[in-house]
Amino acid sequence: AGSVRSIELHQDLTARARENVRASGIGGITLETLDAMTLEERDRYDAIAVTGSLPLYDSRFERALKIGGRLFLVLGQAPVMEALLIRRVSETEWVREPLFETVIAPLQNAPHPSPFAF
């Protein structure tokens, strides 16, 4: 990649990542402490990998893709979550491809559906 932006919610994990990147000698990486659920960028990224699950779909990540960009994320709640590859094919169209079922922890500030009640 020409450049990589990595966002982490916790400062201590950003600091550890910064040390690892520095030790590896790899350049072109920006590390930030930020809540990904506050991002509002549009048409910026060629690829996005969301490394925590989203209990509810949030279109902020797909909107951040450039046309031709790809997004990997895990959607749903345990015990049923689905890994998805989403491609932006035009200004207004995205294609979703289910990849596999899995279970991973949700992003800390990701919205959750209302609990079921009778």
Side-chain angles (χ1 to χ4, degrees):
S3 64
V4 173
R5 179 184 186 198
S6 178
I7 297 171
E8 173 55 53
L9 184 61
H10 303 284
Q11 178 61 42
D12 59 323
L13 295 178
T14 304
R16 190 174 327 148
R18 190 169 282 115
E19 292 170 12
N20 290 337
V21 167
R22 192 175 303 125
S24 73
I26 298 171
I29 299 175
T30 302
L31 302 163
E32 298 177 47
T33 303
L34 184 69
D35 184 351
M37 297 308 298
T38 65
L39 292 178
E40 292 299 331
E41 293 149 324
R42 293 180 177 268
D43 310 315
R44 180 171 176 182
Y45 300 104
D46 295 310
I48 299 171
V50 180
T51 58
S53 66
L54 296 176
L56 291 174
Y57 192 74
D58 189 316
S59 62
R60 80 181 60 241
F61 299 108
E62 70 181 27
R63 289 190 312 259
L65 293 172
K66 294 178 183 176
I67 294 174
R70 298 157 328 277
L71 165 63
F72 172 83
L73 61 81
V74 174
L75 180 63
Q77 296 185 86
V80 181
M81 295 182 185
E82 184 172 49
L84 299 169
L85 176 62
I86 300 169
R87 292 183 179 94
R88 185 168 190 182
V89 295
S90 74
E91 282 293 322
T92 59
E93 185 178 4
W94 292 262
V95 175
R96 288 185 181 189
E97 178 183 344
L99 300 174
F100 52 86
E101 290 184 1
T102 189
V103 174
I104 62 173
L107 290 178
Q108 189 167 333
N109 294 323
H112 287 73
S114 299
F116 178 77
F118 285 101

